[in-house]
Amino acid sequence: MADDAHTPTSPDTADLPSQTRFHRVMLKISGEALMGPQGFGLHPPTVERIAREVKTVHDMGVEICMVIGGGNIFRGLQGSAQGMERTTADYMGMLATVMNALGMQAALEQIGVFTRVISAIPMDQVCEPYIRRRAVRHLEKKRVVIFAAGTGNPYFTTDTAATLRANEMACQAIFKGTKVDGVYDKDPVKFPDAKRFDKVTYDEVLAQHLGVMDASAIALARDNNLPIIVFSLDEPGGLRGILAGEGTYTTVHS
């Protein structure tokens, strides 16, 4: 492709900048994170801000995968709860994630970050189909890869899709961007006395219903010893800071 000549091949981990211990990571964010103050759809200034956060990490030499939810456009569970057949509702939610992925791709490429959207549901006119080796090659060429349409199957959340793709891409961690700066024992928005965990195990997340990700995603991460780092997406420079070993966050581990 035309940009191949401008994208370097993947360096060895030893050649990476000394400020990060991660070579390849998965960034999982919700669709709601893209809607900003407007309550629905895509809020361009918010999308641009998140894209710039991603660029700062990309500039560190870290290879980045992304999975973005679709709840700002359509949420399958809500559609199902309102009487829509669950499978149809989930497929509609998957299509919403493709729209978000294309919006994020446009924002990233406007600031000079080559990006590929790869969909689990084939739609060749707008994005690439999922082929694992091709996706790995994009990462090696320093492109940001956004995985869209979940796993391509109903009844699976984008949390599970992010964990599945992170394992397939040999990511070293999942970074889960939320509205709060880690995992709490109860909702910190509603309860001022909520306690934040610095570290918590997969089993504790499941047993205490801490709501980091759905149970399938947590179990898949646990079975493959893939750490999950929960941080605030609203903190400017937060993602870069965590990769440099700074900031406030919670690590979910074995």
Side-chain angles (χ1 to χ4, degrees):
M1 296 187 179
D3 56 357
D4 285 359
H6 303 285
T7 51
T9 56
S10 176
D12 294 332
T13 304
D15 296 329
L16 289 172
S18 59
Q19 65 265 34
T20 177
R21 67 186 188 277
F22 294 103
H23 171 63
R24 181 179 295 168
V25 300
M26 167 64 74
L27 174 61
K28 167 63 173 69
I29 62 177
S30 67
E32 288 88 346
L34 304 185
M35 65 188 184
Q38 62 190 21
F40 180 82
L42 291 164
H43 182 242
T46 299
V47 176
E48 180 184 350
R49 176 181 62 80
I50 295 173
R52 292 193 178 279
E53 291 281 328
V54 172
K55 185 179 187 301
T56 63
V57 175
H58 182 267
D59 289 346
M60 295 170 71
V62 179
E63 296 173 1
I64 306 170
C65 311
M66 294 181 69
V67 168
I68 306 171
N72 57 319
I73 299 172
F74 188 87
R75 184 179 291 277
L77 278 174
Q78 289 180 350
S80 178
Q82 295 173 6
M84 185 177 295
E85 194 269 325
R86 173 66 186 272
T87 301
T88 299
D90 279 356
Y91 278 121
M92 292 174 67
M94 291 180 221
L95 296 178
T97 72
V98 177
M99 296 174 68
N100 284 339
L102 292 172
M104 182 58 67
Q105 179 187 41
L108 284 166
E109 294 198 331
Q110 282 180 349
I111 55 176
V113 180
F114 293 127
T115 308
R116 294 291 184 271
V117 174
I118 297 179
S119 172
I121 298 175
M123 47 186 80
D124 295 346
Q125 287 83 356
V126 294
C127 50
E128 297 181 11
Y130 177 68
I131 299 172
R132 189 184 69 84
R133 288 180 178 272
R134 181 183 292 176
V136 169
R137 186 59 177 153
H138 286 321
L139 290 170
E140 290 173 347
K141 287 180 172 289
K142 297 302 172 190
R143 297 163 181 156
V144 171
V145 175
I146 307 176
F147 295 106
T151 67
N153 301 287
Y155 296 93
F156 290 93
T157 67
T158 51
D159 282 343
T160 301
T163 310
L164 172 65
R165 298 300 185 223
N167 280 302
E168 289 180 301
M169 296 297 106
C171 292
Q172 294 168 301
I174 299 175
F175 282 75
K176 174 73 181 286
T178 69
K179 293 184 178 297
V180 294
D181 58 356
V183 180
Y184 286 77
D185 59 349
K186 49 191 172 183
D187 189 344
V189 177
K190 297 179 181 177
F191 302 97
D193 62 338
K195 174 188 174 184
R196 187 183 62 81
F197 300 99
D198 287 329
K199 294 183 179 180
V200 64
T201 68
Y202 305 111
D203 290 338
E204 287 170 339
V205 168
L206 293 171
Q208 298 178 40
H209 304 285
L210 294 178
V212 177
M213 289 180 163
D214 66 81
S216 296
I218 294 294
L220 184 58
R222 178 192 61 193
D223 293 347
N224 292 277
N225 198 28
L226 180 67
I228 303 167
I229 297 172
V230 183
F231 71 103
S232 172
L233 200 62
D234 295 331
E235 182 69 26
L239 180 57
R240 181 185 175 93
I242 293 169
L243 282 161
E246 304 167 355
T248 303
Y249 55 93
T250 298
T251 302
V252 183
H253 62 108
S254 57

